[in-house]
Amino acid sequence: MTMERNTKIGLAVLAVLVLAIGMFLLLVYGKRVAMQDVFPSQPVFYARLDHVAQNITKVGGSSFWKNISAIDVPKVLVRNNVSQPRVKRVEESLNAIHAFIQNPWARIIFGKEIAFGFYEDGGPAAGGAGFLFALRLEPSVHAAEIVSRFWAQWGDEAATLRREYKGVAIITVNVKKKNVVFQYVRLGDVLVAASGDSSILEKVVDVYHKKAPGLGSDGNFAFVAGRAYPAGQGFFYVNARSLNGVLKQRAAAWEAQDLEEMSARTTGVGSYGFSFLPGEVNRWKLIVGVDPALMNPEARKALSCPPSEQPPVQFVPPGVIAYQWGACYDFKQAWERLREQAQALPPSVQEQARGFKRRLEKRWGVKIESDVLPLLGNEAGGYLTDVDTTGMFPYPRFLVFLKVKDRTKTEDLLARLTRNPLVPVLEEDHSQVKIRYAPVPLGPNMDPGYCFIGDYLVFSSTRQLLKKSIDTTADASRSLGADKTARAFGLSVSDKANAVAFVRLDVFAKRLRELLEWTDQYMSSQVTTASVFKQESETKKEAITRAIAAKTVELTLAEHKIEELEAKPAPPAAGPAADVSQEDPSVTPGAIENLRQSVQALRDDIKTGTAQRDELDVLAAQYQAQAQSAKLWMFNSRQVVVPALKGLEALRALGMKMVLTGRSFETEILLN
């Protein structure tokens, strides 16, 4: 009995201790409040971010950011002729951002969770317009302490006013010196601040006490939030219709037409959402909520395209740099849209386009609308394996594919199109697949061609890629779908989507750097050419100038000679009494005319020489301008592009996956 009684006493004491500890924690830490439980419904814009300081520190310590931050932005702006005042503003902004990030209090404020939202004028739930900012406080941090940190810069001009609303204290801060008024209130472990002196914080308190609808009851918000990452550390929401209304109200007259066009293009879009989930593979998801009933027929048709599997992954080799595939292409609709847009062109341009189409169809013996478009399926894509920079010019190694509806008819059509080629078309059988290709005498492996893999028409810039895809089809373990990195990005046959894309950033960045080096060499040659031309043109100009000077002297002497001859008395008329032996032959009309012709020839030579000299000046100026552009290109390449590419080399891969659900467009971006 004694033991039983002691046990009961011990349990009772333990219960009291647990209760006491719980009350202590509640008093110290306060009630944990979800952000959507304090924000009113129907915001124009809302965002929530977790662990901001931690993520900033993580990004700041990455190789990617170290390379990007090495860019000397002011130096680049000055070299690109940006005005000094703008450079100074940019430099001050960068310094302010850096100082803010390094501020210990910024790390406290953004150490846990922040949220902000904007409500339009007359919002039905917000009780007025305003901007809300909320942050989750550490247990040891008080709202007044945060405000007091900024008191020194406000000085004695700042005044506070406390008022009670349903048992909650709302503090208004009036910074007269800065002409700034804001309010704040603490609800559990969340501090909520509002701009201005509107009644929006009263609505926040009502939401907190469940007396007014919060974000969770907003249908558009709930739809988008329900498709975001549940454990995401970032979420953004935009009410598309409210945003359009706000922009129209505040837009200048010259912007009204642009806004109307934007609104027309987004008819049926109700909301936008964006979610972020960090991890070994970082994930971002863009969600666009739509109402199909309000969309135009073309958009509604696109939205109804169901996600499907990815058969082309079976013939994509694993080592590709980039890959893209889509399953909702409508080439007939795209052709009709192109024809509609052509109606806006000038009549002369339209007639030229129609004439070109007629000549093309006559040469090929086909009709685009009746012979080509009906054969095209709705799947298309391609991949890139390399960019060869060792030849005369960069040559990409790529392959594109298109699903066709009738392979036999497509083969007949291609046979007709290649009947009279500009270069010979050869054939080769590889693993029982016929490859047709055209060797190009510009370098090795420059033999573009095509073949069929199942119902897919496959074109490639080189015959070797066609063979590689054919071989990959025979062994699925050698395809991109079996690649570990690609599978983590949803690139397998069974993964359903409407479109996918994949890029190996590290390899792609290296290839771009090689291409950049080739371009820099070309630009450097332009600088050298300009320098050589300048030297040669100066030598030519000196020779032309000397020739002009010599001819000018000759011209002056000839003109004086003509004046002297014309000043002499005319010879006597010929007759029996005339003394022919006394006649001066230089005064004869024929001699003067010869001198006049010489003068004109000299003038023409001087004019031609002057024109040549001026032309050399123009050409030299053009070469110099090209050289300056080339130098600027190389400067930006080395100071901006190369550091950015080195940063990308620190990353591994980037992927994109789009899925249509009937009521939303969802695009997921993955990065590791």
Side-chain angles (χ1 to χ4, degrees):
M1 291 294 294
T2 302
M3 183 178 294
E4 183 179 350
R5 185 176 62 182
N6 290 339
T7 301
K8 290 181 179 180
I9 293 174
L11 290 174
V13 172
L14 181 61
V16 171
L17 286 173
V18 170
L19 181 61
I21 292 172
M23 292 181 65
F24 172 77
L25 293 175
L26 181 61
L27 290 172
V28 173
Y29 290 89
K31 176 184 176 183
R32 180 175 178 83
V33 180
M35 289 296 183
Q36 68 181 39
D37 290 339
V38 296
F39 276 78
S41 64
Q42 300 183 23
V44 177
F45 173 81
Y46 168 81
R48 179 188 59 77
L49 299 170
D50 291 341
H51 307 292
V52 180
Q54 176 183 332
N55 287 326
I56 290 176
T57 302
K58 182 179 178 181
V59 172
S62 65
S63 298
F64 170 77
W65 182 252
K66 288 178 181 178
N67 281 283
I68 297 298
S69 59
I71 299 174
D72 190 337
V73 176
K75 179 180 178 181
V76 171
L77 294 178
V78 170
R79 183 64 178 81
N80 284 270
N81 299 320
V82 177
S83 64
Q84 191 60 40
R86 291 188 63 185
V87 173
K88 186 176 180 181
R89 287 197 298 270
V90 170
E91 194 168 11
E92 290 174 349
S93 299
L94 292 174
N95 291 335
I97 293 172
H98 179 74
F100 179 78
I101 292 175
Q102 297 301 320
N103 191 312
W105 270 91
R107 296 181 177 275
I108 292 175
I109 293 173
F110 299 109
K112 300 187 73 175
E113 181 182 10
I114 63 172
F116 40 91
F118 172 73
Y119 295 82
E120 61 180 321
D121 292 336
F131 180 83
L132 286 178
F133 175 77
L135 61 94
R136 195 173 302 283
L137 299 177
E138 295 285 350
S140 58
V141 178
H142 298 281
E145 187 179 2
I146 294 176
V147 175
S148 67
R149 285 286 173 172
F150 302 95
W151 206 265
Q153 70 183 57
W154 294 339
D156 296 331
E157 298 297 322
T160 62
L161 176 66
R162 175 189 174 99
R163 61 189 174 90
E164 294 281 336
Y165 179 75
K166 296 184 179 180
V168 177
I170 299 178
I171 310 299
T172 300
V173 180
N174 187 353
V175 189
K176 297 178 181 179
K177 186 177 180 180
K178 301 288 186 180
N179 194 26
V180 172
V181 177
F182 69 92
Q183 306 171 80
Y184 69 88
V185 61
R186 179 160 186 169
L187 302 170
D189 62 343
V190 173
L191 172 70
V192 186
S195 60
D197 56 359
S198 70
S199 59
I200 190 170
L201 277 189
E202 295 178 0
K203 188 61 65 175
V204 168
V205 175
D206 288 339
V207 172
Y208 175 70
H209 288 306
K210 311 298 183 185
K211 301 298 183 182
L215 273 177
S217 64
D218 188 322
N220 284 329
F221 175 84
F223 178 82
V224 173
R227 283 160 173 73
Y229 299 119
Q233 293 188 9
F235 176 71
F236 295 81
Y237 164 77
V238 177
N239 186 310
R241 297 188 183 93
S242 297
L243 178 62
N244 288 339
V246 171
L247 293 177
K248 288 178 181 178
Q249 290 176 4
R250 305 189 179 190
W254 60 272
E255 296 175 323
Q257 184 176 356
D258 293 336
L259 289 173
E260 287 292 340
E261 293 177 358
M262 182 187 73
S263 180
R265 288 195 298 268
T266 58
T267 299
V269 176
S271 55
Y272 299 96
F274 187 78
S275 182
F276 166 61
L277 178 64
E280 182 178 351
V281 175
N282 296 290
R283 298 173 180 269
W284 295 266
K285 181 186 282 189
L286 173 65
I287 307 117
V288 182
V290 300
D291 184 350
L294 299 177
M295 303 180 74
N296 61 58
E298 184 176 330
R300 190 160 53 245
K301 181 180 179 182
L303 187 64
S304 65
C305 179
S308 62
E309 295 183 345
Q310 306 172 45
V313 171
Q314 297 180 15
F315 58 77
V316 178
V320 299
I321 296 176
Y323 165 73
Q324 188 276 331
W325 166 83
C328 296
Y329 294 103
D330 190 330
F331 294 99
K332 184 177 180 181
Q333 188 178 75
W335 177 260
E336 292 299 328
R337 191 185 312 118
L338 183 63
R339 294 182 61 180
E340 291 173 2
Q341 293 174 349
Q343 299 300 318
L345 298 174
S348 59
V349 178
Q350 293 185 42
E351 183 56 37
Q352 290 176 0
R354 284 192 291 266
F356 176 76
K357 176 176 174 289
R358 285 193 297 267
R359 290 191 298 272
L360 202 63
E361 290 180 334
K362 183 178 180 180
R363 175 179 174 81
W364 286 349
V366 298
K367 295 290 184 181
I368 294 177
E369 289 87 348
S370 59
D371 297 331
V372 179
L373 293 177
L375 298 177
L376 306 182
N378 58 358
E379 287 186 47
Y383 64 80
L384 173 74
T385 62
D386 201 359
V387 178
D388 187 355
T389 58
T390 60
M392 297 173 56
F393 53 86
Y395 190 75
R397 310 292 183 187
F398 69 90
L399 179 146
V400 296
F401 53 84
L402 170 67
K403 189 171 185 178
V404 297
K405 296 178 180 179
D406 191 319
R407 174 172 169 172
T408 302
K409 290 184 178 180
T410 305
E411 288 177 333
D412 293 340
L413 175 65
L414 289 172
R416 277 187 283 168
L417 295 179
T418 57
R419 189 171 298 159
N420 298 309
L422 298 176
V423 295
V425 177
L426 308 179
E427 292 186 358
E428 177 184 356
D429 287 329
H430 182 77
S431 297
Q432 300 181 343
V433 176
K434 181 180 292 186
I435 297 175
R436 304 193 73 198
Y437 65 98
V440 179
L442 296 177
N445 294 327
M446 291 187 180
D447 46 0
Y450 74 88
C451 69
F452 284 86
I453 299 178
D455 291 330
Y456 292 89
L457 172 61
V458 183
F459 292 92
S460 177
S461 63
T462 170
R463 178 170 40 122
Q464 299 303 319
L465 282 188
L466 294 175
K467 293 181 178 181
K468 185 175 290 188
S469 282
I470 294 170
D471 294 339
T472 302
T473 306
D475 186 356
S477 64
R478 297 164 55 187
S479 70
L480 180 65
D483 182 87
K484 181 180 179 181
T485 303
R487 289 185 67 86
F489 281 60
L491 298 180
S492 65
V493 176
S494 59
D495 284 316
K496 291 188 176 182
N498 295 90
V500 297
F502 175 74
V503 180
R504 297 185 192 276
L505 288 175
D506 51 353
V507 181
F508 185 65
K510 289 177 182 177
R511 294 296 180 272
L512 285 180
R513 284 184 62 190
E514 293 173 0
L515 183 61
L516 199 64
E517 289 173 1
W518 184 92
T519 307
D520 283 350
Q521 290 177 0
Y522 172 76
M523 292 296 178
S524 180
S525 68
Q526 284 193 324
V527 175
T528 303
T529 300
S531 177
V532 171
F533 182 84
K534 182 179 180 180
Q535 294 176 357
E536 293 178 350
S537 66
E538 290 295 333
T539 302
K540 290 180 180 179
K541 283 170 58 181
E542 290 176 1
I544 292 173
T545 300
R546 288 195 298 270
I548 290 175
K551 290 182 181 296
T552 301
V553 171
E554 290 183 44
L555 175 63
T556 301
L557 293 174
E559 288 175 339
H560 286 322
K561 183 66 175 177
I562 291 175
E563 292 175 357
E564 291 176 3
L565 293 177
E566 289 179 340
K568 289 182 179 182
D579 187 357
V580 178
S581 64
Q582 299 298 319
E583 184 177 334
D584 187 353
S586 65
V587 187
T588 62
I592 294 176
E593 182 59 29
N594 289 338
L595 281 173
R596 288 197 180 101
Q597 291 177 1
S598 297
V599 165
Q600 186 59 46
L602 288 169
R603 288 173 178 168
D604 291 342
D605 289 345
I606 292 172
K607 184 178 180 180
T608 300
T610 302
Q612 290 176 344
R613 188 172 58 188
D614 292 343
E615 184 179 359
L616 286 173
D617 286 337
V618 172
L619 290 174
Q622 292 176 349
Y623 274 106
Q624 190 63 24
Q626 292 176 358
Q628 292 300 322
S629 297
K631 289 179 181 178
L632 182 60
W633 164 276
M634 291 188 290
F635 173 85
N636 289 328
S637 169
R638 292 163 185 167
Q639 297 294 324
V640 180
V641 182
V642 169
L645 292 178
K646 286 183 177 179
L648 290 177
E649 288 179 25
L651 305 175
R652 291 182 60 191
L654 174 70
M656 186 278 293
K657 180 179 181 181
M658 185 181 75
V659 177
L660 306 178
T661 67
R663 285 202 58 202
S664 67
F665 296 84
E666 298 182 13
T667 303
E668 190 173 21
I669 301 172
L670 305 95
L671 174 68
N672 75 340

Short mmCIF file of all heavy atoms in Angstrom, two decimals, residues 50-93:
data_model
loop_
_atom_site.label_atom_id
_atom_site.label_comp_id
_atom_site.label_asym_id
_atom_site.label_seq_id
_atom_site.Cartn_x
_atom_site.Cartn_y
_atom_site.Cartn_z
N ASP A 50 10.68 31.18 -44.70
CA ASP A 50 11.24 30.57 -43.48
C ASP A 50 12.76 30.58 -43.55
O ASP A 50 13.35 30.44 -44.63
CB ASP A 50 10.77 29.11 -43.34
CG ASP A 50 9.29 29.02 -43.02
OD1 ASP A 50 8.73 30.02 -42.56
OD2 ASP A 50 8.72 27.94 -43.24
N HIS A 51 13.40 30.72 -42.39
CA HIS A 51 14.86 30.58 -42.28
C HIS A 51 15.59 31.43 -43.32
O HIS A 51 16.50 30.97 -44.01
CB HIS A 51 15.27 29.11 -42.43
CG HIS A 51 14.55 28.18 -41.50
ND1 HIS A 51 14.73 28.20 -40.13
CD2 HIS A 51 13.61 27.22 -41.74
CE1 HIS A 51 13.96 27.29 -39.57
NE2 HIS A 51 13.27 26.69 -40.51
N VAL A 52 15.17 32.67 -43.45
CA VAL A 52 15.74 33.56 -44.46
C VAL A 52 17.24 33.75 -44.23
O VAL A 52 18.05 33.60 -45.16
CB VAL A 52 15.03 34.92 -44.45
CG1 VAL A 52 15.63 35.84 -45.50
CG2 VAL A 52 13.54 34.73 -44.70
N ALA A 53 17.62 34.08 -42.99
CA ALA A 53 19.04 34.32 -42.69
C ALA A 53 19.87 33.08 -42.95
O ALA A 53 20.99 33.16 -43.50
CB ALA A 53 19.19 34.77 -41.24
N GLN A 54 19.35 31.92 -42.59
CA GLN A 54 20.08 30.66 -42.79
C GLN A 54 20.28 30.39 -44.29
O GLN A 54 21.38 30.01 -44.71
CB GLN A 54 19.30 29.51 -42.16
CG GLN A 54 19.91 28.14 -42.38
CD GLN A 54 19.06 27.02 -41.78
OE1 GLN A 54 18.33 27.23 -40.82
NE2 GLN A 54 19.14 25.84 -42.37
N ASN A 55 19.24 30.62 -45.08
CA ASN A 55 19.35 30.38 -46.52
C ASN A 55 20.28 31.39 -47.18
O ASN A 55 21.02 31.06 -48.11
CB ASN A 55 17.97 30.43 -47.17
CG ASN A 55 17.13 29.20 -46.83
OD1 ASN A 55 17.66 28.11 -46.68
ND2 ASN A 55 15.83 29.38 -46.69
N ILE A 56 20.25 32.65 -46.69
CA ILE A 56 21.16 33.66 -47.23
C ILE A 56 22.61 33.28 -46.93
O ILE A 56 23.49 33.39 -47.78
CB ILE A 56 20.83 35.05 -46.65
CG1 ILE A 56 19.50 35.56 -47.22
CG2 ILE A 56 21.94 36.05 -46.96
CD1 ILE A 56 19.05 36.87 -46.63
N THR A 57 22.85 32.81 -45.70
CA THR A 57 24.20 32.37 -45.33
C THR A 57 24.65 31.19 -46.18
O THR A 57 25.80 31.12 -46.63
CB THR A 57 24.24 31.98 -43.84
OG1 THR A 57 23.84 33.11 -43.05
CG2 THR A 57 25.63 31.55 -43.43
N LYS A 58 23.73 30.27 -46.43
CA LYS A 58 24.05 29.09 -47.24
C LYS A 58 24.41 29.48 -48.65
O LYS A 58 25.40 29.01 -49.22
CB LYS A 58 22.87 28.12 -47.23
CG LYS A 58 23.11 26.85 -48.00
CD LYS A 58 21.89 25.93 -47.93
CE LYS A 58 22.12 24.66 -48.75
NZ LYS A 58 20.92 23.77 -48.71
N VAL A 59 23.60 30.36 -49.23
CA VAL A 59 23.86 30.81 -50.61
C VAL A 59 25.16 31.62 -50.65
O VAL A 59 25.98 31.46 -51.56
CB VAL A 59 22.68 31.65 -51.14
CG1 VAL A 59 23.04 32.28 -52.49
CG2 VAL A 59 21.43 30.79 -51.27
N GLY A 60 25.36 32.49 -49.65
CA GLY A 60 26.55 33.33 -49.62
C GLY A 60 27.84 32.54 -49.51
O GLY A 60 28.89 32.98 -49.97
N GLY A 61 27.78 31.35 -48.92
CA GLY A 61 28.96 30.52 -48.78
C GLY A 61 29.20 29.57 -49.94
O GLY A 61 30.20 28.85 -49.96
N SER A 62 28.29 29.56 -50.91
CA SER A 62 28.41 28.63 -52.03
C SER A 62 29.42 29.13 -53.05
O SER A 62 29.69 30.34 -53.17
CB SER A 62 27.05 28.45 -52.72
OG SER A 62 26.62 29.67 -53.31
N SER A 63 30.00 28.20 -53.80
CA SER A 63 30.95 28.57 -54.86
C SER A 63 30.27 29.41 -55.93
O SER A 63 30.88 30.30 -56.52
CB SER A 63 31.55 27.31 -55.48
OG SER A 63 32.27 26.57 -54.52
N PHE A 64 29.01 29.11 -56.17
CA PHE A 64 28.26 29.88 -57.17
C PHE A 64 28.25 31.36 -56.80
O PHE A 64 28.60 32.22 -57.61
CB PHE A 64 26.83 29.34 -57.27
CG PHE A 64 25.91 30.19 -58.09
CD1 PHE A 64 25.97 30.17 -59.46
CD2 PHE A 64 24.99 31.04 -57.47
CE1 PHE A 64 25.12 30.96 -60.23
CE2 PHE A 64 24.14 31.84 -58.22
CZ PHE A 64 24.21 31.80 -59.60
N TRP A 65 27.85 31.67 -55.55
CA TRP A 65 27.73 33.06 -55.15
C TRP A 65 29.10 33.73 -55.04
O TRP A 65 29.24 34.92 -55.34
CB TRP A 65 26.98 33.18 -53.84
CG TRP A 65 26.80 34.61 -53.44
CD1 TRP A 65 27.41 35.28 -52.43
CD2 TRP A 65 25.95 35.56 -54.09
NE1 TRP A 65 27.00 36.59 -52.40
CE2 TRP A 65 26.11 36.79 -53.42
CE3 TRP A 65 25.08 35.50 -55.18
CZ2 TRP A 65 25.41 37.94 -53.80
CZ3 TRP A 65 24.40 36.64 -55.56
CH2 TRP A 65 24.56 37.83 -54.87
N LYS A 66 30.13 32.99 -54.62
CA LYS A 66 31.46 33.57 -54.51
C LYS A 66 31.95 34.05 -55.88
O LYS A 66 32.61 35.09 -55.99
CB LYS A 66 32.43 32.55 -53.91
CG LYS A 66 32.20 32.30 -52.42
CD LYS A 66 33.15 31.25 -51.88
CE LYS A 66 32.90 30.99 -50.39
NZ LYS A 66 33.78 29.93 -49.86
N ASN A 67 31.65 33.28 -56.91
CA ASN A 67 32.04 33.70 -58.25
C ASN A 67 31.21 34.89 -58.73
O ASN A 67 31.75 35.83 -59.34
CB ASN A 67 31.89 32.54 -59.24
CG ASN A 67 33.03 31.55 -59.17
OD1 ASN A 67 34.11 31.79 -59.68
ND2 ASN A 67 32.78 30.42 -58.51
N ILE A 68 29.92 34.87 -58.44
CA ILE A 68 29.05 35.97 -58.86
C ILE A 68 29.43 37.26 -58.13
O ILE A 68 29.49 38.34 -58.72
CB ILE A 68 27.57 35.63 -58.60
CG1 ILE A 68 27.14 34.41 -59.44
CG2 ILE A 68 26.67 36.82 -58.90
CD1 ILE A 68 27.22 34.62 -60.92
N SER A 69 29.68 37.15 -56.82
CA SER A 69 29.99 38.34 -56.02
C SER A 69 31.36 38.92 -56.36
O SER A 69 31.67 40.05 -55.97
CB SER A 69 29.92 38.02 -54.53
OG SER A 69 30.83 36.99 -54.18
N ALA A 70 32.18 38.15 -57.08
CA ALA A 70 33.50 38.67 -57.48
C ALA A 70 33.39 39.68 -58.61
O ALA A 70 34.38 40.37 -58.93
CB ALA A 70 34.40 37.51 -57.91
N ILE A 71 32.23 39.80 -59.23
CA ILE A 71 32.03 40.78 -60.31
C ILE A 71 32.07 42.19 -59.73
O ILE A 71 31.33 42.51 -58.79
CB ILE A 71 30.69 40.53 -61.03
CG1 ILE A 71 30.67 39.13 -61.66
CG2 ILE A 71 30.44 41.59 -62.09
CD1 ILE A 71 29.33 38.75 -62.26
N ASP A 72 32.92 43.02 -60.27
CA ASP A 72 33.03 44.42 -59.83
C ASP A 72 31.96 45.23 -60.57
O ASP A 72 32.20 45.75 -61.67
CB ASP A 72 34.43 44.95 -60.13
CG ASP A 72 34.68 46.31 -59.49
OD1 ASP A 72 33.70 47.01 -59.19
OD2 ASP A 72 35.86 46.66 -59.29
N VAL A 73 30.78 45.31 -59.98
CA VAL A 73 29.63 45.92 -60.66
C VAL A 73 29.89 47.38 -61.02
O VAL A 73 29.65 47.78 -62.17
CB VAL A 73 28.35 45.78 -59.79
CG1 VAL A 73 27.18 46.50 -60.45
CG2 VAL A 73 28.02 44.31 -59.58
N PRO A 74 30.36 48.24 -60.10
CA PRO A 74 30.63 49.64 -60.49
C PRO A 74 31.61 49.75 -61.66
O PRO A 74 31.41 50.57 -62.56
CB PRO A 74 31.20 50.25 -59.21
CG PRO A 74 30.64 49.41 -58.10
CD PRO A 74 30.60 48.02 -58.65
N LYS A 75 32.67 48.94 -61.64
CA LYS A 75 33.65 48.99 -62.72
C LYS A 75 33.01 48.61 -64.05
O LYS A 75 33.28 49.24 -65.09
CB LYS A 75 34.81 48.03 -62.39
CG LYS A 75 35.89 47.98 -63.45
CD LYS A 75 36.99 47.01 -63.04
CE LYS A 75 38.07 46.90 -64.11
NZ LYS A 75 39.13 45.92 -63.71
N VAL A 76 32.15 47.59 -64.03
CA VAL A 76 31.48 47.15 -65.25
C VAL A 76 30.54 48.24 -65.76
O VAL A 76 30.48 48.52 -66.97
CB VAL A 76 30.70 45.84 -64.99
CG1 VAL A 76 29.81 45.50 -66.18
CG2 VAL A 76 31.65 44.70 -64.70
N LEU A 77 29.81 48.89 -64.87
CA LEU A 77 28.88 49.95 -65.27
C LEU A 77 29.63 51.13 -65.88
O LEU A 77 29.21 51.69 -66.90
CB LEU A 77 28.05 50.40 -64.07
CG LEU A 77 27.09 49.37 -63.48
CD1 LEU A 77 26.38 49.93 -62.27
CD2 LEU A 77 26.06 48.93 -64.52
N VAL A 78 30.75 51.52 -65.27
CA VAL A 78 31.54 52.63 -65.80
C VAL A 78 32.07 52.30 -67.19
O VAL A 78 32.01 53.13 -68.11
CB VAL A 78 32.72 52.96 -64.84
CG1 VAL A 78 33.69 53.94 -65.50
CG2 VAL A 78 32.19 53.54 -63.54
N ARG A 79 32.58 51.09 -67.35
CA ARG A 79 33.13 50.67 -68.67
C ARG A 79 32.04 50.65 -69.72
O ARG A 79 32.33 50.86 -70.92
CB ARG A 79 33.78 49.29 -68.53
CG ARG A 79 34.44 48.79 -69.81
CD ARG A 79 35.60 49.68 -70.20
NE ARG A 79 36.26 49.17 -71.39
CZ ARG A 79 35.82 49.39 -72.64
NH1 ARG A 79 34.75 50.12 -72.84
NH2 ARG A 79 36.48 48.89 -73.67
N ASN A 80 30.77 50.42 -69.33
CA ASN A 80 29.66 50.39 -70.28
C ASN A 80 28.96 51.74 -70.39
O ASN A 80 27.80 51.82 -70.81
CB ASN A 80 28.66 49.31 -69.87
CG ASN A 80 29.14 47.91 -70.20
OD1 ASN A 80 28.89 47.40 -71.28
ND2 ASN A 80 29.86 47.29 -69.27
N ASN A 81 29.68 52.79 -70.01
CA ASN A 81 29.23 54.17 -70.19
C ASN A 81 27.95 54.51 -69.43
O ASN A 81 27.15 55.33 -69.89
CB ASN A 81 29.03 54.47 -71.68
CG ASN A 81 30.31 54.31 -72.49
OD1 ASN A 81 31.38 54.70 -72.03
ND2 ASN A 81 30.21 53.72 -73.66
N VAL A 82 27.75 53.90 -68.28
CA VAL A 82 26.63 54.28 -67.42
C VAL A 82 27.03 55.55 -66.68
O VAL A 82 28.18 55.70 -66.25
CB VAL A 82 26.31 53.15 -66.43
CG1 VAL A 82 25.19 53.57 -65.47
CG2 VAL A 82 25.90 51.89 -67.19
N SER A 83 26.07 56.47 -66.53
CA SER A 83 26.38 57.76 -65.92
C SER A 83 26.87 57.58 -64.48
O SER A 83 26.45 56.66 -63.77
CB SER A 83 25.14 58.66 -65.93
OG SER A 83 24.11 58.12 -65.13
N GLN A 84 27.75 58.50 -64.06
CA GLN A 84 28.34 58.40 -62.73
C GLN A 84 27.31 58.45 -61.61
O GLN A 84 27.43 57.70 -60.63
CB GLN A 84 29.39 59.50 -62.55
CG GLN A 84 30.27 59.33 -61.32
CD GLN A 84 31.05 58.03 -61.33
OE1 GLN A 84 31.54 57.62 -62.38
NE2 GLN A 84 31.15 57.36 -60.18
N PRO A 85 26.28 59.32 -61.69
CA PRO A 85 25.26 59.31 -60.62
C PRO A 85 24.57 57.96 -60.47
O PRO A 85 24.31 57.51 -59.35
CB PRO A 85 24.28 60.40 -61.07
CG PRO A 85 25.10 61.33 -61.91
CD PRO A 85 26.06 60.45 -62.63
N ARG A 86 24.26 57.30 -61.60
CA ARG A 86 23.61 55.98 -61.51
C ARG A 86 24.56 54.95 -60.93
O ARG A 86 24.16 54.09 -60.14
CB ARG A 86 23.14 55.54 -62.90
CG ARG A 86 21.99 56.35 -63.46
CD ARG A 86 21.45 55.75 -64.73
NE ARG A 86 20.91 54.42 -64.50
CZ ARG A 86 20.46 53.63 -65.48
NH1 ARG A 86 20.50 54.04 -66.74
NH2 ARG A 86 19.98 52.44 -65.20
N VAL A 87 25.83 55.02 -61.31
CA VAL A 87 26.82 54.09 -60.75
C VAL A 87 26.90 54.28 -59.24
O VAL A 87 26.96 53.30 -58.48
CB VAL A 87 28.20 54.31 -61.41
CG1 VAL A 87 29.26 53.46 -60.71
CG2 VAL A 87 28.14 53.97 -62.89
N LYS A 88 26.90 55.53 -58.81
CA LYS A 88 27.00 55.82 -57.38
C LYS A 88 25.78 55.27 -56.64
O LYS A 88 25.91 54.70 -55.54
CB LYS A 88 27.12 57.32 -57.16
CG LYS A 88 27.36 57.70 -55.71
CD LYS A 88 27.56 59.20 -55.55
CE LYS A 88 27.80 59.56 -54.09
NZ LYS A 88 27.99 61.03 -53.92
N ARG A 89 24.58 55.42 -57.23
CA ARG A 89 23.37 54.90 -56.59
C ARG A 89 23.42 53.38 -56.47
O ARG A 89 23.03 52.81 -55.44
CB ARG A 89 22.13 55.34 -57.37
CG ARG A 89 21.80 56.82 -57.22
CD ARG A 89 20.37 57.11 -57.66
NE ARG A 89 20.16 56.81 -59.06
CZ ARG A 89 20.34 57.69 -60.04
NH1 ARG A 89 20.75 58.92 -59.76
NH2 ARG A 89 20.11 57.36 -61.29
N VAL A 90 23.88 52.73 -57.53
CA VAL A 90 23.99 51.27 -57.49
C VAL A 90 24.99 50.84 -56.42
O VAL A 90 24.73 49.90 -55.65
CB VAL A 90 24.41 50.73 -58.88
CG1 VAL A 90 24.76 49.25 -58.79
CG2 VAL A 90 23.31 50.95 -59.90
N GLU A 91 26.13 51.52 -56.35
CA GLU A 91 27.15 51.17 -55.37
C GLU A 91 26.62 51.37 -53.95
O GLU A 91 26.85 50.53 -53.07
CB GLU A 91 28.38 52.03 -55.60
CG GLU A 91 29.63 51.55 -54.88
CD GLU A 91 30.88 52.23 -55.37
OE1 GLU A 91 30.75 53.23 -56.11
OE2 GLU A 91 31.97 51.78 -55.00
N GLU A 92 25.90 52.46 -53.73
CA GLU A 92 25.33 52.71 -52.40
C GLU A 92 24.29 51.65 -52.05
O GLU A 92 24.23 51.19 -50.90
CB GLU A 92 24.70 54.11 -52.37
CG GLU A 92 25.71 55.24 -52.40
CD GLU A 92 25.05 56.60 -52.50
OE1 GLU A 92 23.82 56.63 -52.77
OE2 GLU A 92 25.75 57.62 -52.34
N SER A 93 23.49 51.24 -53.03
CA SER A 93 22.48 50.21 -52.78
C SER A 93 23.14 48.88 -52.43
O SER A 93 22.70 48.18 -51.50
CB SER A 93 21.59 50.04 -54.02
OG SER A 93 20.90 51.24 -54.32
#
